[in-house]
Amino acid sequence: MSKKECIAMLLAGGQGSRLGALTSKIAKPAVSFGGKYRIIDFTLSNCANSGIDTVGVLTQYRPYRLHAYLGSGSAWDLDERGGGVSILPPYATQDGGAWYAGTADAVTQNLDYIKTHDPKYVLILSGDALYRMDYREMLHTHISNDADLTVAVMPVPWEDASRFGILTADDEGRITKFTEKPEKPDSNLASMGIYIFTADFLIKTLEEDALDQRSSHDFGGDIIPKALADGKRLFVHKFEGFWKDVGTIASYHETSMDLLGPNPYFDLYDYKTPIMSNDTTRPPHYIGPDGKVDDCLVSNGCEILGTARHSVLSTDCVIGERAIVEDSVLLPGAVIKAGAHICRAIIGENAVVEEGVKLGSVDTTKDTAVVGNDVVIGKGE
Amino acid sequence: MINRKAIGYITANYTSREHSVLLDSRPLASIPFMGRYRLIDFPLSNLANAGIKTVGLVMPGNWRSIMDHVGHGKDWGLDRKKGGLFPLPGNPYGATKQGMRFLLRDIISSKSLFERSDKPYVVLMGTNIIFNLDLNAVIDAHEKSGVGITMVYVHAERNQEDAMSLEIGDAGRVKGFHQGCHYGDNKFLDCVVINRDLLLQIIDQYSSADYLDLFEAIRPDFERIDVCSYEYKGLAMGFFNEETYFRRSMELLDPTTANKLFMRERPILTKAHDAPPAKYFSGAVVCNSRVSAGCEIKGTVRNSIIARGVTVEAGANVVNSIIMQSCVIKTGAHVENAILDKSNVVAANTELSGTPDDILVVGKAALK
C-alpha cells in the first residue's frame, strides 16, 4: 500500500447526450476537440502539469474508444509505477453489481481503489471542460483552510448565474449556501464541478450516502447539501482563468471558435503547461496551389485544396477544390468535397459532405449544423 | 502480428560523401525530413509495420541526435520485455562513404545480437534510401525460395552514382553488383533478408576481411551462397547530398507522390511531440506547401516545407525552401531556394536566397 498526498478521480462515464450526434457512438470525454485533442486531454494534462501521478478514470457509456485512447496513460506521462491512469468501469461483485447510478455512486463503488492508494486528499474531476488549472493551488487552499471539502468556483456574469450551481461564501471563503440554478442568485460564484475532499471525510460521507435510500448519489445534489447541513468545513477556491463547458453543441462550437484569432481565449500555444494528447502519427498537412487558409487551426494529415476561414480542421481532413469551409469545426477524417460550402457547422469524424452540397448558415440565430460521425451528406439531404 | 521469423538490424552510421553543414551536428540517419520525420524513421517503421520487435541499431560516433529521437524505441513498439531496441557500437564514420552499407566489422561486433535471437532471419537496412515496403512479403518470398540471402531493389528512375546496382540473372539470382546506377538499373535499396545461421557463418569465415562491406567480402562466393533478388515496386528515394535531399523533399509536396510513402495501412512512425495544430492568422497566404504542427503562419509561404514550431511573421516570404524546426522568419524577410537547419532566426527585412540550381544551405542555429 502506498501513501499518496492527493489522487484524482475523473468522472468520464456520462453519455453527453446534449452533444447529440457527436456522442452517438463515443463517450463525451473521447470526442475530438481543438484539432488534435480529445476533450479528456485537457483534464488529464492539468493533472500531469499539476504533478498528480494517480488518476482513476471512471467510465461507463460506450467506453471502448475512450479506453483505447487512454491506453497506458503514457501520452500524458501518466504511466507510473504504483499509480498512473487506472480505468475504472462498473464491475460485478458477489452481490451482483450495478451501473454507476450517479457521480457520487461511481466514486463510492471505487472506494477500494482510493483506499489502496491511501491518499490524504481526493480530487474529483470531470472530463468535459476546456480550462487550464494548477490543482496544487486548489489543494493549497484546501489545506490552509483545514477544509473537509473545497469546491472550485468561478465568477460568472450575474445575468448568467441562474444557469449554474451557485455557491454563496463568507469573507473567509467558507461556503454558507449552495443553490442549483437559483432564480434570484445572491452570489455569482458558479461551481466548476471540481472538488477536493479530505480522504477520510470523503470515505465516511460516501459510505453513509450509499445507505441513504432517498439520495440520488450525486455530488452537487446530495453530498454538498448534506455536508453543509452537517456543518462541515466547506470552502470555495476561486478560479479566475478561462473555463468553458463543452457539453452542448452550441458551447462546443463557441469554445472551438475561442481557440482562434491572434489573442485566443484559450491558448493552445502556452508551452509552460502543454496540452498533451495520444495523437496519431500523420505527415504535416498540405495546402494546395489554390488553397486559402485564413484564421484557422490546421492539424497534421489535412489536405486543403479549397478555402478555409475561421475554422478548426482536425487530423486528416480534406477540403476539395473550390470548396469553402467557414466558422466550422471539421473532426478527424472529415471530407468536404469539391465545390461544397459549409458554414457554422460541425462535421463528424470521417463524415463526408458530397460535391456541391451547401450546409449551415451565417445566421447566428439558427442552430449550428451538425453531421454525425461516418455520415455521408449528399445533395438534397 | 508479432513477427516470429525475423529481427532487424539498421546501420545508422553512414554519411554523405559530400560535406554539408546539415551533417555538422548530426549523422545522416537523423537528418530532419518532411517537417516532422528523420530518415531513421523509415527503416524503423518498415520493421515496426512488419511486427518486428527486436532491432539492432548500429550507431555512429555522433549518436546524440539519434538517441534523442529514438529513445527506447517506444514510438515503433520496440520498448519490449521480449526483444527491444539495441543500440550497437559501430564504426564511427561508416566504412566507406560510397558503396554498401553493411561493414563486416560492425556486423562482427554485433554478433551477440544474432546469436541470442531465436528467429531464422535477419533484415538488414540502411538509412540513406527511404521507402515504404511490406517486409513480410519479402520475408515470405525469401522463405519460399529457400535461398540464403534476398536483396531488395527497385527499377532506378534516375542516375545516382552513390547507389549500387544489382546484376540479376535467371530466376532473380543476383550474379553481382556495381557502384552507381543509371536509369533502368536494378537499384539496391540497402535492404536485405539473410538467414541468421548464414550470417553467423559469414561472421566466422570472413573475419579476416572485416574491413570490407559484407557483400564485397562474400562476392566471390555469391553462387555458393545463393543470393536472390526481390523487386520493390513502390516509391524509393535516396539521400546522398544536399541536392538529392532538396529535390526529393520537394517532390513530396505533390500529395500523389507523398501518399506512396505515407500510407495509413503502413504508417511512417516518428517520435511523438505535443505541438498544437498549426495556426494560420488572418492575412496568411500559403500555397503548394506542407506545414507542420506548432507553426504560426502570418506571412506568405509558397512551394515550401515548414517543420514543427516555425514562425513566419506578417510580411515575411518563404518561397521554394525547406525550413526546419523552430526557425523564425521575421517580418519583411525573404527566404528563397534555401534550406534552413533548425533554430535559425532570419532578421526582419533581410533576404536569404539561393538559386534553383544552387540551393543556399544554412546550418543549425547559424543565424540568431
Side-chain angles (χ1 to χ4, degrees):
Chain A
M1 301 255 178
S2 54
K3 181 81 188 170
K4 301 247 179 195
E5 173 87 355
C6 183
I7 70 167
M9 299 296 273
L10 202 170
L11 302 163
Q15 180 179 352
S17 53
R18 291 175 301 153
L19 279 176
L22 298 182
T23 52
S24 65
K25 288 180 183 163
I26 191 168
K28 178 162 76 168
V31 170
S32 164
F33 186 84
K36 66 175 281 191
Y37 307 98
R38 301 209 171 250
I39 293 171
I40 200 170
D41 283 334
F42 298 91
T43 309
L44 285 175
S45 298
N46 283 336
C47 285
N49 291 330
S50 302
I52 291 172
D53 66 1
T54 305
V55 183
V57 183
L58 302 126
T59 66
Q60 176 159 284
Y61 174 79
R62 287 205 182 264
Y64 167 68
R65 293 275 304 273
L66 178 58
H67 291 178
Y69 187 71
L70 290 168
S72 66
S74 65
W76 305 269
D77 279 349
L78 286 169
D79 50 338
E80 286 280 341
R81 256 176 209 280
V85 162
S86 296
I87 294 169
L88 304 172
Y91 55 89
T93 68
Q94 288 177 328
D95 304 324
W99 296 112
Y100 295 152
T103 52
D105 179 57
V107 178
T108 304
Q109 291 200 41
N110 288 287
L111 283 177
D112 282 351
Y113 172 80
I114 295 174
K115 288 173 184 170
T116 302
H117 289 292
D118 192 17
K120 282 197 228 165
Y121 308 101
V122 180
L123 171 65
I124 310 282
L125 300 165
S126 48
D128 58 2
L130 181 68
Y131 67 110
R132 263 198 188 86
M133 186 168 173
D134 189 338
Y135 301 130
R136 283 172 295 205
E137 291 173 9
M138 182 172 170
L139 185 59
H140 179 76
T141 303
H142 182 82
I143 292 170
S144 49
N145 285 328
D146 192 23
D148 295 310
L149 165 60
T150 301
V151 181
V153 295
M154 55 176 282
V156 294
W158 279 94
E159 61 269 27
D160 293 343
S162 51
R163 295 198 290 118
F164 293 90
I166 293 293
L167 292 150
T168 312
D170 66 16
D171 291 346
E172 269 77 53
R174 184 158 180 175
I175 298 170
T176 55
K177 195 168 130 196
F178 171 73
T179 335
E180 191 69 58
K181 297 178 182 160
E183 272 181 42
K184 288 182 187 159
D186 56 2
S187 159
N188 69 334
L189 297 178
S191 169
M192 298 161 68
I194 301 168
Y195 313 111
I196 290 179
F197 284 85
T198 298
D200 295 340
F201 172 68
L202 176 72
I203 293 167
K204 187 166 169 288
T205 303
L206 290 181
E207 283 173 348
E208 285 169 13
D209 177 71
L211 301 173
D212 184 351
Q213 302 272 331
R214 290 162 302 168
S215 173
S216 58
H217 313 297
D218 185 80
F219 279 110
D222 304 287
I223 304 297
I224 295 175
K226 171 100 183 350
L228 257 182
D230 290 350
K232 297 295 174 189
R233 293 181 63 80
L234 272 61
F235 286 81
V236 293
H237 172 75
K238 272 193 207 170
F239 177 73
E240 302 282 352
F242 177 88
W243 178 93
K244 219 162 188 176
D245 165 68
V246 288
T248 67
I249 293 292
S251 69
Y252 179 96
H253 183 258
E254 188 183 319
T255 312
S256 298
M257 297 297 113
D258 284 345
L259 302 171
L260 299 169
N263 299 299
Y265 290 102
F266 188 88
D267 189 4
L268 293 169
Y269 277 70
D270 178 354
Y271 289 120
K272 286 194 294 290
T273 48
I275 307 302
M276 293 168 262
S277 72
N278 191 357
D279 198 12
T280 51
T281 310
R282 295 289 295 147
H285 61 262
Y286 174 70
I287 314 277
D290 301 316
K292 290 190 182 64
V293 183
D294 191 297
D295 194 12
C296 287
L297 283 172
V298 185
S299 309
N300 286 329
C302 287
E303 195 174 312
I304 299 166
L305 305 178
T307 298
R309 280 193 285 266
H310 197 252
S311 293
V312 175
L313 313 183
S314 307
T315 309
D316 285 336
C317 287
V318 177
I319 300 178
E321 290 171 349
R322 304 179 315 283
I324 300 173
V325 173
E326 296 176 290
D327 300 319
S328 295
V329 183
L330 305 192
L331 269 52
V335 177
I336 311 301
K337 292 208 173 164
H341 186 162
I342 69 160
C343 182
R344 283 186 67 244
I346 301 169
I347 310 297
E349 294 192 35
N350 302 311
V352 178
V353 176
E354 292 284 8
E355 284 190 21
V357 171
K358 305 241 179 303
L359 193 73
S361 160
V362 285
D363 184 354
T364 51
T365 60
K366 294 195 172 155
D367 284 347
T368 309
V370 181
V371 176
N373 295 347
D374 306 310
V375 172
V376 178
I377 299 285
K379 270 196 165 167
E381 286 177 53
Chain B
M1 291 283 277
I2 290 174
N3 196 304
R4 300 165 71 91
K5 293 179 182 168
I7 63 171
Y9 182 80
I10 302 172
T11 51
N13 56 337
Y14 285 78
T15 183
S16 162
R17 210 154 40 88
E18 296 171 28
H19 171 262
S20 167
V21 290
L22 300 176
L23 298 172
D24 281 351
S25 55
R26 60 174 80 85
L28 192 113
S30 58
I31 201 162
F33 179 65
M34 276 292 278
R36 69 173 302 187
Y37 302 96
R38 292 177 186 257
L39 293 187
I40 186 82
D41 291 336
F42 289 85
L44 282 170
S45 298
N46 278 310
L47 294 167
N49 290 332
I52 289 173
K53 295 294 176 189
T54 300
V55 175
L57 188 58
V58 181
M59 302 298 262
N62 52 346
W63 46 261
R64 187 206 61 83
S65 59
I66 297 184
M67 284 313 293
D68 183 350
H69 187 69
V70 302
H72 293 105
K74 177 170 169 264
D75 291 298
W76 300 270
L78 291 172
D79 52 338
R80 297 294 97 185
K81 281 185 176 177
K82 279 187 190 167
L85 183 72
F86 297 91
L88 300 163
N91 184 302
Y93 307 107
T96 49
K97 293 185 177 182
Q98 213 167 18
M100 302 287 198
R101 295 289 182 271
F102 307 108
L103 176 66
L104 202 47
R105 189 180 297 157
D106 289 343
I107 291 175
I108 290 169
S109 69
S110 310
K111 189 178 176 186
S112 53
L113 176 81
F114 308 122
E115 281 178 330
R116 287 174 190 174
S117 171
D118 58 355
K119 312 281 188 289
Y121 310 116
V122 181
V123 180
L124 312 179
M125 302 186 91
T127 58
N128 291 68
I129 305 176
I130 63 167
F131 45 86
N132 189 336
L133 164 69
D134 178 3
L135 270 175
N136 278 324
V138 187
I139 293 166
D140 287 348
H142 175 82
E143 189 166 51
K144 207 170 165 189
S145 65
V147 296
I149 297 177
T150 297
M151 301 175 82
V152 184
Y153 71 95
V154 68
H155 276 291
E157 290 181 351
R158 56 175 66 83
N159 300 341
Q160 207 158 47
E161 59 180 306
D162 291 276
M164 305 290 293
S165 298
L166 303 183
E167 294 146 19
I168 298 174
D170 295 340
R173 288 295 187 278
V174 180
K175 296 187 296 183
F177 54 85
H178 58 264
Q179 180 70 43
C181 86
H182 297 93
Y183 180 88
D185 280 355
N186 304 313
K187 175 175 146 184
F188 180 43
L189 292 181
D190 296 341
C191 177
V192 177
V193 178
I194 182 167
N195 292 350
R196 188 173 59 87
D197 290 345
L198 173 63
L199 188 61
L200 286 169
Q201 281 170 29
I202 290 172
I203 287 172
D204 289 341
Q205 290 168 8
Y206 295 81
S207 57
S208 60
D210 70 350
Y211 54 91
L212 290 176
D213 177 87
L214 167 71
F215 288 94
E216 280 159 5
I218 65 171
R219 188 203 290 257
D221 303 319
F222 253 40
E223 264 184 49
R224 180 176 61 79
I225 288 172
D226 206 0
V227 182
C228 203
S229 61
Y230 180 95
E231 186 188 353
Y232 165 68
K233 294 198 168 133
L235 180 73
M237 293 183 158
F239 297 92
F240 299 98
N241 51 34
E242 288 172 355
E243 197 209 338
T244 48
Y245 174 81
F246 186 80
R247 301 261 170 264
R248 297 300 88 74
S249 297
M250 286 302 173
E251 283 165 19
L252 288 169
L253 280 179
D254 176 11
T256 319
T257 309
N259 289 343
K260 292 177 186 168
L261 213 48
F262 301 99
M263 47 186 91
R264 277 179 226 206
E265 63 270 31
R266 291 199 304 270
I268 302 303
L269 305 165
T270 188
K271 180 181 178 180
H273 291 272
D274 284 306
K279 185 160 187 178
Y280 292 81
F281 292 74
S282 283
V285 176
V286 180
C287 76
N288 192 37
S289 294
R290 284 198 178 268
V291 180
S292 309
C295 287
E296 298 186 62
I297 311 288
K298 297 174 183 169
T300 299
V301 178
R302 291 180 205 278
N303 305 329
S304 294
I305 295 167
I306 313 291
R308 194 154 39 80
V310 168
T311 300
V312 179
E313 292 188 353
N317 260 295
V318 178
V319 184
N320 203 31
S321 294
I322 296 173
I323 312 294
M324 294 188 193
Q325 193 187 324
S326 304
C327 286
V328 179
I329 318 298
K330 296 268 189 185
T331 183
H334 184 94
V335 179
E336 186 160 357
N337 297 314
I339 301 173
L340 303 193
D341 202 333
K342 289 165 72 170
S343 305
N344 278 299
V345 178
V346 181
N349 303 312
T350 55
E351 181 166 343
L352 210 60
S353 295
T355 67
D357 297 321
D358 187 14
I359 301 300
L360 176 73
V361 184
V362 179
K364 185 173 172 179
L367 306 171
K368 284 175 187 169

